[in-house]
Amino acid sequence: MSDDLLTRIRLRREQLPRAERTIADLVLRDPGAAAECTITALALAAGTSETTVHRFCRSLDLRGYAQLRLGLAAEAERLRADSRADLAIGGDIGPEDTLEQLVRKVGRSDARAAEETAAHLDLTALAALTDAVGSARRIELFGLGSSALAAQDAAHKLLRLGYWASVWTDVHAALMNAALLRPGDLALTVSHSGRAREVVDFLAQARAAGAVTCTVTSNPGSPAAEQADIVLVTSARESIFRSGGTASRTAQLTVVDCLYVALVQRSYQQTLEDLERAHEAVRSRTLRTPRP
């Protein structure tokens, strides 16, 4: 799959040592300016050493600093070509933005979240989750805040396909049901940060019960990811006004949709027949416009 350097840096940022995270933040803030720096200048700007910059390059699977500079220059050019200066995708939403600028920035940010998540989605992990759903007796889902919306959407889609899925937003109910899972069952969480204690405890309880555990998160190095057998990583850049609320949810829903379609594809004809029966069951409840 296609890969871009800035997305790779964002996905690995939380796993980096503190000094390397400082370099990552500097590079993400202005990739064009960073690309013009010598290794000495970048180290000074980040308040670290040239050795740490070299380690940062190795953490990104790069051959050296020259490859980092070339990659950053390409990313800066891509960002410039991707949008007009006043609608820069990498730019934050400011109080001086017009309503038109605000709407376009939000739209572009959400679209990029979906595109980058799909481009970097671990297909092996997605296949493993599809297998786990197909063989599970019970599927318990849990999320908090805006992530709960993605968990609820996933549960609804699984129910439509005939899977025994329940979603919880109450912590006590979630923990009780996680404890009642059995080997072969599935516990699935959605958490942008992967750091919510409730989410980590839910996964730990499900794992102790012998269930397969999975999390959808933007932080592959998070405590939630450490408790998960399967980790699906999202990619989203939130602005100061939308922290963890919109672009991240778009990325999470992209993963849910990929799972849904993968499940449909596995039993295509049977699923179409099941969906038609489900639609028929509620069709009589649809209000029809009377003829004149």
Side-chain angles (χ1 to χ4, degrees):
M1 282 195 168
S2 63
D3 186 19
D4 66 73
L5 184 57
L6 296 184
T7 299
R8 194 189 312 179
I9 294 172
R10 281 193 295 274
L11 291 177
R12 300 188 185 184
R13 180 189 178 280
E14 294 299 324
Q15 299 170 281
L16 298 173
R18 180 177 300 179
E20 292 182 39
R21 284 202 302 270
T22 303
I23 300 172
D25 293 338
L26 182 66
V27 165
L28 290 172
R29 188 159 52 245
D30 192 343
E36 296 177 0
C37 290
T38 63
I39 188 171
T40 302
L42 185 65
L44 287 173
T48 186
S49 66
E50 293 182 18
T51 301
T52 302
V53 177
H54 281 299
R55 285 200 298 267
F56 174 70
C57 294
R58 288 197 296 271
S59 296
L60 299 177
D61 301 324
L62 301 176
R63 291 187 299 274
Y65 186 65
Q67 189 178 11
L68 176 67
R69 290 185 71 181
L70 287 172
L72 292 176
E75 288 294 319
E77 181 58 33
R78 181 180 64 79
L79 289 174
R80 282 192 291 269
D82 203 36
S83 64
R84 303 196 308 272
D86 63 324
L87 295 176
I89 290 176
D92 209 342
I93 296 173
E96 74 286 351
D97 285 334
T98 65
L99 186 60
E100 178 188 7
Q101 290 174 323
L102 181 152
V103 169
R104 293 193 181 186
K105 282 187 177 183
V106 170
R108 286 171 179 255
S109 178
D110 286 356
R112 178 54 60 86
E115 291 171 357
E116 291 186 353
T117 295
H120 293 269
L121 196 59
D122 186 336
L123 299 185
T124 300
L126 179 61
L129 178 57
T130 306
D131 289 338
V133 170
S135 60
R137 178 185 63 95
R138 286 174 54 192
I139 304 169
E140 302 291 341
L141 299 97
F142 181 52
L144 294 171
S146 63
S147 295
L149 299 176
Q152 289 167 347
D153 184 63
H156 177 71
K157 284 183 166 63
L158 292 174
L159 285 169
R160 289 182 62 196
L161 296 179
Y163 296 100
W164 190 267
S166 301
V167 61
W168 307 99
T169 55
D170 177 82
V171 177
H172 289 177
L175 290 174
M176 287 188 294
N177 280 276
L180 296 175
L181 291 174
R182 299 174 183 173
D185 291 341
L186 173 65
L188 172 61
T189 66
V190 183
S191 175
H192 177 57
S193 69
R195 295 186 178 279
R197 179 176 177 179
E198 297 86 348
V199 170
V200 177
D201 288 347
F202 173 81
L203 289 169
Q205 189 69 64
R207 170 174 277 190
V212 177
T213 56
C214 175
T215 191
V216 177
T217 181
S218 67
N219 186 358
S222 65
E226 292 176 0
Q227 291 291 337
D229 300 310
I230 304 168
V231 179
L232 290 167
V233 181
T234 59
S235 177
R237 284 170 274 183
E238 291 288 3
S239 77
I240 188 172
F241 295 135
R242 304 179 299 138
S243 179
T246 55
S248 62
R249 188 175 67 248
T250 299
Q252 292 164 353
L253 292 173
T254 299
V255 175
V256 171
D257 286 347
C258 289
L259 172 63
Y260 175 72
V261 176
L263 290 167
V264 170
Q265 188 183 48
R266 287 203 170 189
S267 53
Y268 188 78
Q269 191 57 45
Q270 182 61 52
T271 299
L272 290 182
E273 295 173 4
D274 291 344
L275 289 175
E276 179 59 29
R277 285 199 301 272
H279 291 160
E280 187 62 33
V282 298
R283 191 167 293 151
S284 63
R285 311 302 299 173
T286 303
L287 293 176
R288 293 177 172 82
T289 304
R291 293 183 179 181

